[in-house]
Amino acid sequence: MSFSRLLTPRILLDNAGAFPPSGVAVAAPSLSRQLVRRTRTGGSAPPPHRRVALRVTSNVSAAPAAEAAVYGGGGGAQKAPAAARRVTLATLRGKHRRGEPISMVTAYDYPSGVQVDTAGFDICLVGDSAAMVSHGHDNTIPISLDLMVEHCRAVVRGTSRTFLVGDLPFGSYESSPAQAVSSAVRVMKEGGVDSVKLEGSAPSRISAAKAIVEAGIAVMGHIGLTPQSVSALGGFRPQGRTVESAVKVVEAALALQEAGCFAVVLECVPAPVAAAVTSALQIPTIGIGAGPFCSGQVLVYHDLLGMFQHPLHAKVAPKFCKQYGNIGEAINRALCEYKQEVETSSFPGPSHTPYRLPATDVDAFLNELLKKGLNVAADAAAAAVENAEKEMNGNGTRS
């Protein structure tokens, strides 16, 4: 790739059963009215659970109707996107050859997999950063291979288009090429991803990458700041900031290419170093905190969406990450609103109480309760019937 093409401005991928309608409601059976009337005219106050029942909307319907599936309702059901051609290594190589930027983002579970796939990203990384953003650890080291496989499986269920990369976690590939191949095979066979990623460029890592490639598995390399080496690096520190270190980054990238990697992640290195690596390689570079001259970019799902609002997260949020949303604030607002509606008994209302006992069966149900001596329960059910009638007809308000 020529340096002039390297400096071409990159394109920013901007991806950014209810109640029946109004009608004549059929009156509830007379027994329910009699039960309600009896409790109202009696001398004693209704029991506490009776008062609670008066606040709960009944789902008794005016007329029998076929029940929808339990989860068939709701206004926010996400439609499946139109079928698109699955991204493969050939797709990625074609984009790289044409100088088209490659988009990449992380995901860790089924919902995030669905969102990433729907947005049309080229690559989805099931990262060991799940240790931090999904499990609350301070770094990526604690996550196990078993847990990474489960994260991969969850993301796979939510994707049909994007090219999937599964991280090999710390401790799963360093001992020997045989261990590396065994771990990679597990992530591929059990996790269901398209390729794996490993960190570092020490001789043992190069041997591991080569062995995995020779086993028929696509490998993505990762150099610069390698989070699994946080202990040896003395923390999350940028790399390539001296001449010697910068040259080592270039040499490491070339070694990973020679080992057969199809792409290399460059994390937290100066832009000129990333530009030099990108120009020197014949495979794509994916930058994260490495400037605009890489073949593509990757960010962590939770960081770019602003998922976390806790002050401690703000202290460790990466400086290189642009926040494209403030989802954490929206989540907090929605949760507070839901909690308030529960506490004020304004939820659930008629539109969120979709399951109905046919009006013709109400009397029979109440009679069965009375036969069993459950008079208080019968009163509560009858009150719920009357309350539902009022709400459906617009003649009453919630207590």
Side-chain angles (χ1 to χ4, degrees):
M1 178 183 294
S2 67
F3 195 70
S4 60
R5 186 172 69 176
L6 184 68
L7 296 177
T8 302
R10 297 310 194 192
I11 302 171
L12 178 62
L13 185 61
D14 186 15
N15 289 315
F19 279 89
S22 59
V24 179
V26 179
S30 57
L31 180 57
S32 64
R33 295 184 183 279
Q34 292 171 6
L35 287 169
V36 173
R37 191 178 301 114
R38 185 186 71 189
T39 55
R40 287 181 177 175
T41 56
S44 60
H49 73 271
R50 166 66 189 280
R51 291 196 293 272
V52 171
L54 287 173
R55 299 206 308 266
V56 179
T57 306
S58 171
N59 52 21
V60 177
S61 173
E67 291 289 347
V70 173
Y71 296 112
Q78 184 167 332
K79 296 182 179 179
R85 180 175 297 179
R86 190 171 183 86
V87 178
T88 65
L89 281 180
T91 310
L92 299 174
R93 287 166 179 154
K95 294 195 72 170
H96 178 244
R97 185 174 60 253
R98 295 187 297 271
E100 299 173 5
I102 296 171
S103 59
M104 178 172 164
V105 69
T106 66
Y108 309 96
D109 52 22
Y110 174 78
S112 58
V114 171
Q115 295 292 345
V116 168
D117 203 65
T118 302
F121 279 88
D122 297 317
I123 305 175
C124 175
L125 169 65
V126 187
D128 61 355
S129 45
M132 302 176 71
V133 299
S134 296
H135 299 280
H137 294 292
D138 292 332
N139 53 60
T140 65
I141 292 175
I143 199 164
S144 67
L145 180 61
D146 287 342
L147 199 49
M148 280 304 305
V149 167
E150 288 304 316
H151 278 289
C152 288
R153 293 174 68 180
V155 173
V156 165
R157 295 186 193 107
T159 59
S160 61
R161 176 193 174 278
T162 187
F163 186 84
L164 294 170
V165 181
D167 251 337
L168 294 180
F170 179 75
S172 68
Y173 61 95
E174 297 88 347
S175 296
S176 68
Q179 182 205 28
V181 171
S182 176
S183 298
V185 168
R186 279 202 64 195
V187 174
M188 289 285 290
K189 290 188 67 173
E190 299 176 34
V193 297
D194 302 306
S195 64
V196 299
K197 180 173 76 65
L198 54 75
E199 293 184 8
S201 59
S204 62
R205 310 300 173 88
I206 299 299
S207 296
K210 185 176 181 180
I212 296 171
V213 171
E214 290 177 349
I217 299 173
V219 178
M220 175 179 282
H222 184 157
I223 55 176
L225 191 164
T226 47
Q228 292 178 12
S229 304
V230 62
S231 176
L233 295 176
F236 294 101
R237 299 183 182 280
Q239 302 298 302
R241 301 178 73 180
T242 66
V243 173
E244 181 183 5
S245 178
V247 170
K248 285 184 178 179
V249 170
V250 177
E251 292 174 342
L254 289 169
L256 287 168
Q257 176 179 261
E258 181 65 24
C261 291
F262 72 89
V264 176
V265 171
L266 300 175
E267 180 166 1
C268 294
V269 300
V273 177
V277 172
T278 303
S279 183
L281 296 184
Q282 297 178 348
I283 59 175
T285 57
I286 307 296
I288 176 167
F293 307 121
C294 295
S295 310
Q297 298 292 330
V298 61
L299 286 176
V300 169
Y301 183 90
H302 294 69
D303 291 338
L304 75 93
L305 293 177
M307 293 285 284
F308 294 117
Q309 301 298 306
H310 195 282
L312 291 178
H313 182 261
K315 294 180 180 180
V316 298
K319 297 178 181 179
F320 55 76
C321 182
K322 178 178 179 180
Q323 186 174 306
Y324 288 84
N326 199 358
I327 306 305
E329 182 178 329
I331 291 173
N332 290 343
R333 186 166 58 249
L335 288 173
C336 289
E337 184 178 351
Y338 164 59
K339 175 176 175 287
Q340 182 180 27
E341 289 194 3
V342 169
E343 292 175 346
T344 59
S345 299
S346 57
F347 174 85
S351 62
H352 295 101
T353 310
Y355 311 114
R356 300 178 286 276
L357 180 65
T360 53
D361 291 342
V362 172
D363 257 351
F365 174 55
L366 297 178
N367 277 321
E368 288 299 319
L369 292 175
L370 292 174
K371 287 179 184 178
K372 296 178 180 297
L374 301 174
N375 293 10
V376 174
D379 287 345
V385 171
E386 184 178 53
N387 191 57
E389 285 183 335
K390 288 183 177 181
E391 291 190 326
M392 290 172 62
N393 295 323
N395 296 326
T397 57
R398 296 181 62 82
S399 57

